Amino acid sequence: MALTFDLVPNTTRTPATDIAAIFENPGFVNHFSDHMAIAEWTSEGGWDKARVVNYGPFPLAPGAAVLHYGQEIFEGLKVYRHADGSLWSFRPEMNARRFIKSCERMALPTLPEEDFLASILALIRADEAWVPSGEEMSYYVRPYMFASDAFLGVHAGAKITYAVIGGPAGAYFSSGLAGVDIWVTTTYSRAGEGGTGAAKCGGNYASSLIAQQEGAEHGCSQVLFSDAASHEWVEELGGMNFFAVTTDGRLVTPPTSGTILDGVTRNSVLTLAPEFGLTPDVRPLSLSELYAGIDSGTIVEAFACGTAAVITPITSLVYEREGAESKLTLPNPEGEKTLAIRAALVDIQWGRAEDRYGWMHKVSA
Ligand SMILES: *Cc1c(COP(=O)(O)O)cnc(C)c1O
């Protein structure tokens, strides 16, 4: 039976003037909205206790499995306020399906697509006032699930918590559309064959942080990972998919195998590409081909894409060669095609262009 996420009565609400002050400078979800949707699962009873309550701490046992063995997954999507005040989410069914796949990989109970969508709808209905309007502003929704029962033997949890939280979001990168420098690591991997690379789980992020720190030491804000076996094939960034644009009008991105996250933004970019004279070219791309292409000028642009950062031009690739730092600047670091695809995508998301693919789902009443 489908879950109903009813609002627990008498929850408290932040005054409108305080929310307005947060909208002035939201950062990337530095403030969470008043409510959260939650549900609990037990191996005996299945999913139950769905509700919307005030945002607040969980009662969590120090022995809770998630704190020891990391049995956790998450999703990320945005809600956009259109000019007429209505609220819309972007392809949420794709997040729902990916959440199920992540559940399966991480031995968590699956949450049916309709319950995933209902939980988001219930949270947005409770916290409509938290969805900002304005340039590049949205409400970021974070559904997640973790093992909450206490034990130290290694096995899948029998008590699971599902929750949805969220808050107002501005631009992910402070550099905005100016683009980002990317550190290419061939020391660390985020995923390997048979591993969890295709699941959206916290563990993948935890293992990427050291490379992220190394990148920061080289003045880069993101890291490009290659395959764990040979460090020769381009995979993706820590939390974003990778694309390259060639002079002969191809849009190259590696296939999502078991080691690359199948991004909703990635899928949407591949759909939009032909409108900009670009032919999607989903195939393995080696680091040597990438470097040589940038060097000779056959690869003119590169970009990173994901829900959080939307589409961000890559200005340069920084990497270590023979013990020294090398920097390759993209021939077109401003990313002319990149920004054209970005504009087309965000125009659909904010309702400024016709939703020709049926991607938008209304979430306001
Ligand atoms: C979430 C994520 C992406 C982007 O996926 P979207 O659905 O476009 O937000 C890309 N790579 C990784 C590793 C991710 O976790």
Side-chain angles (χ1 to χ4, degrees), residues 52-360:
V52 173
V53 297
N54 264 137
Y55 173 88
F58 293 114
L60 194 67
V66 64
L67 301 177
H68 303 273
Y69 307 128
Q71 197 189 2
E72 184 268 358
I73 59 165
F74 67 95
E75 267 303 326
L77 65 161
K78 283 175 173 172
V79 170
Y80 309 84
R81 187 180 289 282
H82 288 185
D84 66 358
S86 60
L87 306 180
W88 300 77
S89 63
F90 181 75
R91 312 185 77 182
E93 73 289 347
M94 292 195 76
N95 298 91
R97 286 177 211 145
R98 189 169 66 192
F99 200 58
I100 290 172
K101 283 192 183 159
S102 298
C103 287
E104 288 167 350
R105 178 61 184 84
M106 301 302 286
L108 285 160
T110 55
L111 182 75
E113 192 175 322
E114 59 176 338
D115 295 328
F116 180 92
L117 298 173
S119 66
I120 293 169
L121 204 64
L123 175 62
I124 295 301
R125 295 276 162 90
D127 284 349
E128 279 205 22
W130 284 86
V131 184
S133 52
E135 202 63 23
E136 298 288 320
M137 300 265 279
S138 61
Y139 177 97
Y140 183 84
V141 183
R142 166 55 55 85
Y144 58 116
M145 192 192 286
F146 57 90
S148 44
D149 45 345
F151 59 86
L152 293 183
V154 178
H155 56 84
K159 255 184 74 183
I160 306 296
T161 302
Y162 168 70
V164 192
I165 57 174
Y172 189 81
F173 291 120
S174 51
S175 59
L177 299 185
V180 290
D181 295 330
I182 300 290
W183 172 247
V184 185
T185 177
T186 45
T187 307
Y188 301 109
S189 309
R190 67 170 287 282
E193 286 301 324
T196 57
K200 212 167 172 72
C201 66
N204 291 342
Y205 280 70
S207 76
S208 76
L209 295 177
I210 188 171
Q212 179 90 16
Q213 286 175 342
E214 194 180 77
E217 285 162 19
H218 292 267
C220 297
S221 52
Q222 283 290 312
V223 178
L224 179 63
F225 290 90
S226 51
D227 73 294
S230 70
H231 286 302
E232 179 54 22
W233 302 96
V234 172
E235 292 206 322
E236 62 169 323
L237 287 79
M240 283 164 246
N241 293 116
F242 178 86
F243 281 88
V245 180
T246 66
T247 31
D248 61 350
R250 283 175 298 123
L251 182 63
V252 186
T253 195
T256 52
S257 58
T259 55
I260 297 177
L261 202 283
D262 192 359
V264 177
T265 318
R266 174 185 181 278
N267 181 285
S268 309
V269 163
L270 288 171
T271 303
L272 291 170
E275 297 180 17
F276 300 91
L278 294 171
T279 308
D281 192 3
V282 180
R283 62 169 173 86
L285 172 68
S286 70
L287 280 175
S288 17
E289 181 189 348
L290 178 62
Y291 294 158
I294 295 172
D295 214 27
S296 69
T298 56
I299 289 176
V300 275
E301 298 179 30
F303 62 87
C305 75
T307 299
V310 196
I311 295 175
T312 305
I314 291 172
T315 41
S316 75
L317 298 178
V318 185
Y319 56 99
E320 207 169 88
R321 183 189 273 172
E322 285 150 16
E325 181 184 296
S326 260
K327 182 169 182 165
L328 265 179
T329 300
L330 271 293
N332 184 351
E334 288 85 31
E336 188 191 320
K337 292 275 186 194
T338 300
L339 293 185
I341 297 173
R342 185 188 202 282
L345 179 67
V346 299
D347 280 350
I348 292 172
Q349 290 171 332
W350 270 281
R352 298 183 296 247
E354 188 200 338
D355 176 21
R356 40 201 190 279
Y357 302 100
W359 284 341
M360 305 308 291

Side-chain angles (χ1 to χ4, degrees), residues 5-15 33-38 51-56 122-123 125-128 130:
F5 290 83
D6 289 327
L7 180 67
V8 169
N10 302 322
T11 55
T12 55
R13 288 173 186 278
T14 305
S33 62
D34 289 325
H35 296 91
M36 61 184 191
I38 54 174
R51 60 210 187 273
V52 173
V53 297
N54 264 137
Y55 173 88
L123 175 62
R125 295 276 162 90
D127 284 349
E128 279 205 22
W130 284 86

Side-chain angles (χ1 to χ4, degrees), residues 16-42:
T17 46
D18 293 2
I19 298 177
I22 290 168
F23 284 175
E24 291 291 310
N25 185 17
F28 188 79
V29 198
N30 292 334
H31 304 270
F32 292 96
S33 62
D34 289 325
H35 296 91
M36 61 184 191
I38 54 174
E40 291 163 39
W41 181 91
T42 57

